Amino acid sequence: MKRPPMGRRHLDVPAVLDYLEARLDATAMARVEDHLAGSCSRCRELLHEVGRLVDAMRADRTPPVPAAARARALTTFGVRARVQDSELAAWRRARLLFDSLAAPLPVAVRRAVGEARWLKFALDQHVLEIETEPESGEQVTVRGRLVAPEPAVHRIELVAGSETLTAWPDAGGRFTLERVPTGAARLTVESPDHRWRLPSVVL
Amino acid sequence: MTPEPARLDPLEDQRLVDRCLRGDAAAWEALVRRHERLVHAVSRSYHLSESDLGDVFQDVFAALVSGLPRLREPRALVRWISSTTQRIARATALKRRREQALSAAPETIPELAAGDPPVGADLERLEEQAMVQLGLAALSPRCQRLIEALYYEDPAPGYSSIARRLGLPMGSIGPTRARCLERLRAAIEAVTRAPSRISERDRPTFDSGTGGPEGFRLGSFVERLGQPAREDSP
């Protein structure tokens, strides 16, 4: 079969790459440009697509991911996997140490914290403090601090009504759960080695 | 732990997620390594400290652990990861800025100069790059090394240097790069066309108060593969 002359032949990926990278001699370059200037939408599409792909790669200047950041990402599953494996690990019961609803705060402190409610729990040797603040009639924000070694590897789960909210404390043990429905809530804390169930509270 | 090699398989994410759900830590590491670059790319556009970056990584991947049962399709995963990372990184950056503003004397707060790097991520661009990375991970090691040398190194090395480094005849670099690029296009298309199991209900949403994106703007080029050329295409 007789091949069409160069200017009418469709472009392939090698030709498009050579064209984009200016690796063609002047004659070949002119032929490609003639072809693209014609009515060949197929080759214009190929040029656009390959050009965009090459541009995406050239513009990608993301440095290597820091090992410490990757380690933090891997830890998140470590907690889940280990705790799941040990359905065995018995739930420990946390104790309520303080509830500002039951033991009103001094007036000066109340003035400083406004409508917030404070709760404090003992998780064996560790302590979980939470503060709840009304957002609207039916929702509250829960801010907390877990005082424990490596607080960031703990997973905190709050079940309120049909909602399950999860938080991972930062390195300082602080976490926030927003838009928590009011009503009865159940909190659990899971670490790689233990898990605690907290007494139910009404938010 | 040695990371698992990537596979030419558009359903790789789905398989990894299934294994993760059975508690397979090696699958989790493979999943993290497939998508960590995108988390890093989005986070670093917020100029976070090393410790804040670690917090963002932990929060994003912890959220991914919770969302695993719903997120199996590569494009949905990429969208979800970029949007979630942006939301968390932006909140972290704002919180840090607020703390600094509250604790510093007004005269010590540096003014923003016109030449300062922009804050915030161009999600569309980063998602495109992430899809290319997923396609690249599915190629042979030789193609990966060649494409990385040609298109990711800055400045790009010459053909002679690449030929020496990869032990290839110099004359074969051009044809090999074209073949590898064709395979890359096919791999991206395969990954892009993998069946979706994510429902509209499960897509993350953002309210205007958190400053999240208005909506998803996934790189159109992966979606445009195979569609008719636009008249205004270059």
Side-chain angles (χ1 to χ4, degrees), chain B residues 131-220:
Chain B
M131 293 303 288
V132 176
Q133 285 285 331
L134 290 184
L136 194 58
L139 301 189
S140 67
R142 189 172 78 144
C143 271
Q144 284 183 33
R145 284 199 298 273
L146 181 61
I147 287 182
E148 278 165 5
L150 283 168
Y151 301 112
Y152 284 91
E153 286 187 26
D154 186 25
Y159 275 18
S160 57
S161 153
I162 293 174
R164 264 198 314 279
R165 210 194 303 169
L166 302 186
L168 293 169
M170 201 164 116
S172 76
I173 300 277
T176 309
R177 90 185 188 307
R179 276 196 300 276
C180 290
L181 215 77
E182 292 205 70
R183 284 179 198 149
L184 177 59
R185 284 174 62 217
I188 294 170
E189 188 163 18
V191 167
T192 306
R193 300 251 178 264
S196 173
R197 288 198 198 171
I198 191 169
S199 68
E200 286 304 320
R201 185 177 57 81
D202 291 329
R203 291 189 192 284
T205 53
F206 302 88
D207 55 54
S208 53
T210 59
E214 307 299 320
F216 289 115
R217 298 169 297 121
L218 176 67
S220 48

Side-chain angles (χ1 to χ4, degrees), chain B residues 13 31-39 77-78 81 134:
Chain B
D13 280 316
L31 199 64
V32 167
R33 285 180 183 269
R34 268 170 82 78
H35 297 285
E36 64 184 7
R37 213 165 177 276
L38 178 58
V39 176
L77 253 178
V78 164
I81 288 172
L134 290 184

Side-chain angles (χ1 to χ4, degrees), chain A residues 6-47:
Chain A
M6 264 305 276
R8 288 192 212 148
R9 213 182 289 160
H10 285 303
L11 303 178
D12 54 13
V13 170
V16 166
L17 276 175
D18 286 340
Y19 173 73
L20 287 170
E21 293 170 9
R23 293 184 188 277
L24 298 174
D25 60 31
T27 318
M29 190 73 101
R31 278 196 202 115
V32 169
E33 281 174 351
D34 279 352
H35 184 81
L36 292 170
S39 58
C40 186
S41 60
R42 170 181 150 179
C43 290
R44 282 202 302 274
E45 182 193 348
L46 181 67
L47 177 75

Side-chain angles (χ1 to χ4, degrees), chain A:
Chain A
M1 192 171 65
K2 196 178 167 191
R3 299 188 70 179
M6 264 305 276
R8 288 192 212 148
R9 213 182 289 160
H10 285 303
L11 303 178
D12 54 13
V13 170
V16 166
L17 276 175
D18 286 340
Y19 173 73
L20 287 170
E21 293 170 9
R23 293 184 188 277
L24 298 174
D25 60 31
T27 318
M29 190 73 101
R31 278 196 202 115
V32 169
E33 281 174 351
D34 279 352
H35 184 81
L36 292 170
S39 58
C40 186
S41 60
R42 170 181 150 179
C43 290
R44 282 202 302 274
E45 182 193 348
L46 181 67
L47 177 75
H48 177 69
E49 190 191 308
V50 172
R52 207 174 156 102
L53 175 56
V54 167
D55 284 349
M57 293 191 286
R58 289 213 167 113
D60 190 348
R61 294 279 173 258
T62 308
V65 174
R70 178 183 299 131
R72 298 280 296 274
L74 294 176
T75 309
T76 57
F77 189 79
V79 172
R80 179 191 170 92
R82 274 182 276 172
V83 170
Q84 274 188 344
D85 284 349
S86 56
E87 284 304 338
L88 354 156
W91 284 100
R92 292 158 182 262
R93 187 159 290 279
R95 281 184 305 119
L96 177 66
L97 296 177
F98 176 79
D99 180 351
S100 65
L101 263 192
L105 297 163
V107 177
V109 180
R110 262 205 321 268
R111 228 177 269 135
V113 300
E115 290 184 73
R117 174 184 174 193
W118 282 0
L119 295 133
K120 190 171 176 178
F121 300 91
L123 288 61
D124 295 321
Q125 312 304 319
H126 315 322
V127 171
L128 178 74
E129 296 171 342
I130 61 172
E131 175 190 305
T132 67
E133 194 170 7
E135 275 180 39
S136 67
E138 293 169 354
Q139 290 183 324
V140 294
T141 296
V142 175
R143 290 190 190 82
R145 187 165 75 101
L146 177 67
V147 184
E150 292 192 82
V153 301
H154 292 68
R155 177 172 183 265
I156 293 171
E157 190 174 279
L158 187 152
V159 180
S162 58
E163 298 262 343
T164 300
L165 301 148
T166 305
W168 297 79
D170 64 17
R174 295 184 190 283
F175 64 93
T176 304
L177 295 163
E178 288 174 337
R179 294 190 281 278
V180 180
T182 52
R186 196 160 42 79
L187 270 158
T188 53
V189 177
E190 295 179 4
S191 80
D193 307 311
H194 302 295
R195 50 188 186 172
W196 293 268
R197 198 172 270 147
L198 279 68
S200 283
V201 288
V202 178
L203 300 174

Side-chain angles (χ1 to χ4, degrees), chain B residues 3-39:
Chain B
E4 297 191 354
R7 280 192 250 155
L8 178 55
D9 183 352
L11 301 179
E12 180 66 2
D13 280 316
Q14 197 169 306
R15 288 186 222 289
L16 288 174
V17 167
D18 287 339
R19 285 173 52 197
C20 287
L21 290 171
R22 293 196 296 270
D24 182 339
W28 176 245
E29 177 165 10
L31 199 64
V32 167
R33 285 180 183 269
R34 268 170 82 78
H35 297 285
E36 64 184 7
R37 213 165 177 276
L38 178 58
V39 176

